[in-house]
């Protein structure tokens, strides 16, 4: 049975410790999603490179190499678990003499921003980029071809049409999927504890192994993850409504004329 007295005592005694873990998880999820999206856009363009017959031999070789590398990156990163990628990254860094333990910031900020958090940011960003590349590419393929034809008829170049017309619409169409990737990253950041990233799971697990309140600690962990994902979902819905031009208010006492 759950001992609620021990649950609340565990929460109150470790409030700051858990808070640092929550902040680390949010940084990992948000940074990984945003930077992963930016890298994913480049990846999507790389995978969509078209080799034209009019291109000279050198251009064809470069295009094929870039396209091939982008495809290999996407297949490998999406086909292997992030936990395994994190371990490979950790031991590869050790093999070349990179020690993330040496990166320390002064004061309490080091509880969040430390060497292993930066290592975790690299892992989650590279992993997310592989998925974002597919998301962006699917969004671009879903844009009506008439948009491109209309822009080209107005004299816009292919590159400008792609960046100014196709990409914004693709990102808007893919926004729900991009948001889902953020929610996935909030939860999947927990696997980074294997390389000593002191995110939420790492800290809660440390508390549980210290006071043996396993059930209570993991219940706290589940509730916190649930709250974080619900907040993220709400924020994404508000962003979607804003982009769609739908007016909304967080004031529960604000009614439209005629509703009462």
């Amino acid at each position: 049975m759950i001992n609620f007295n021990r649950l609340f005592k565990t929460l109150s005694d470790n409030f700051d410790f858990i808070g640092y873990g929550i902040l680390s998880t949010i940084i990992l999820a948000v940074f990984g999603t945003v930077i992963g999206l930016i890298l994913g856009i480049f990846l999507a363009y790389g995978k969509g490179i078209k080799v034209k017959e009019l291109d000279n031999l050198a251009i064809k070789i470069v295009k094929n190499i870039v396209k091939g590398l982008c495809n290999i990156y996407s297949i490998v990163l999406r086909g292997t678990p992030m936990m395994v990628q994190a371990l490979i990254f950790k031991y590869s860094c050790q093999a070349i003499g990179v020690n993330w333990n040496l990166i320390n910031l002064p004061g309490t900020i080091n509880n969040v921003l430390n060497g292993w958090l930066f290592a975790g940011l690299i892992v989650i960003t590279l992993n997310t980029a592989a998925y974002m590349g597919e998301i962006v590419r699917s969004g671009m393929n879903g844009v009506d071809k008439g948009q491109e034809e209309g822009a080209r008829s107005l004299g816009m170049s292919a590159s400008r049409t792609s960046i100014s017309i196709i990409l914004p619409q693709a990102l808007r169409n893919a926004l729900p999927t991009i948001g889902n990737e953020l929610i996935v990253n909030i939860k999947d950041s927990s696997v980074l504890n294997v390389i000593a990233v002191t995110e939420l799971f790492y800290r809660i697990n440390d508390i549980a192994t210290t006071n043996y309140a396993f059930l209570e600690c993991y219940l706290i962990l589940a509730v916190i993850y649930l709250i974080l994902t619900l907040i993220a979902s709400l924020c994404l819905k508000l962003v979607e409504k804003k982009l769609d031009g739908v007016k909304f208010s967080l004031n529960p006492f604000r009614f439209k004329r005629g509703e009462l």
Side-chain angles (χ1 to χ4, degrees):
M1 294 294 293
I2 300 174
N3 187 327
F4 287 99
N5 289 330
R6 185 162 61 174
L7 186 150
F8 290 118
K9 187 177 187 305
T10 298
L11 191 58
S12 61
D13 290 348
N14 300 279
F15 188 80
D16 291 342
F17 189 72
I18 295 173
Y20 290 134
I22 294 174
L23 186 56
S24 297
T25 294
I26 293 173
I27 292 173
L28 287 166
V30 173
F31 184 94
T33 302
V34 174
I35 306 302
L37 174 59
I38 295 172
L39 294 178
I41 292 172
F42 288 102
L43 187 63
Y45 277 111
K47 295 181 69 173
I49 289 176
K50 295 179 180 179
V51 181
K52 301 177 182 179
E53 291 294 332
L54 297 178
D55 292 334
N56 60 48
L57 180 60
I59 297 297
K60 286 182 179 180
I61 292 174
V62 171
K63 284 185 175 181
N64 280 313
I65 291 175
V66 172
K67 188 173 184 178
L69 290 175
C70 289
N71 280 300
I72 292 172
Y73 178 91
S74 180
I75 291 171
V76 172
L77 271 292
R78 289 189 299 119
T80 54
M82 186 161 64
M83 180 184 291
V84 176
Q85 295 166 15
L87 290 170
I88 292 174
F89 179 79
K90 174 183 177 180
Y91 291 113
S92 295
C93 287
Q94 288 184 358
I96 61 176
V98 177
N99 187 353
W100 294 98
N101 284 319
L102 298 179
I103 301 177
N104 292 295
L105 298 179
T108 57
I109 194 174
N110 191 64
N111 289 315
V112 178
L113 299 178
N114 51 53
W116 285 113
L117 180 81
F118 295 137
L121 288 172
I122 294 173
V123 173
I124 197 170
T125 298
L126 295 178
N127 178 270
T128 302
Y131 291 94
M132 287 299 189
E134 288 300 307
I135 292 170
V136 173
R137 195 164 70 95
S138 297
M140 293 174 70
N141 291 336
V143 176
D144 187 3
K145 296 295 182 182
Q147 299 283 333
E148 182 178 0
E149 294 172 358
R152 296 302 299 275
S153 68
L154 294 174
M156 296 179 67
S157 64
S159 58
R160 185 180 175 187
T161 298
S162 179
I163 295 173
S164 302
I165 304 298
I166 305 301
L167 182 59
Q169 294 184 68
L171 294 177
R172 174 61 190 90
N173 294 338
L175 184 59
T177 313
I178 294 171
N180 184 65
E181 193 64 27
L182 170 62
I183 293 171
V184 169
N185 280 340
I186 290 174
K187 296 178 289 185
D188 283 2
S189 61
S190 60
V191 305
L192 296 174
N193 75 91
V194 298
I195 59 170
V197 178
T198 54
E199 41 68 56
L200 181 59
F201 177 85
Y202 183 99
R203 291 176 181 273
I204 294 288
N205 190 60
D206 185 52
I207 297 170
T209 54
T210 300
N211 62 14
Y212 299 101
F214 291 100
L215 179 58
E216 290 78 11
C217 285
Y218 293 131
L219 180 60
I220 292 171
L221 179 64
V223 171
I224 293 174
Y225 275 127
L226 179 60
I227 292 172
L228 290 176
T229 54
L230 288 175
I231 292 174
S233 298
L234 176 61
C235 291
L236 290 166
K237 286 182 180 179
L238 295 179
V239 170
E240 286 186 48
K241 288 184 177 181
K242 185 67 175 178
L243 292 176
D244 289 337
V246 178
K247 294 183 179 180
F248 59 89
S249 173
L250 297 178
N251 185 353
F253 299 105
R254 181 179 177 181
F255 298 96
K256 293 181 181 178
R257 183 178 300 175
E259 286 185 346
L260 291 178

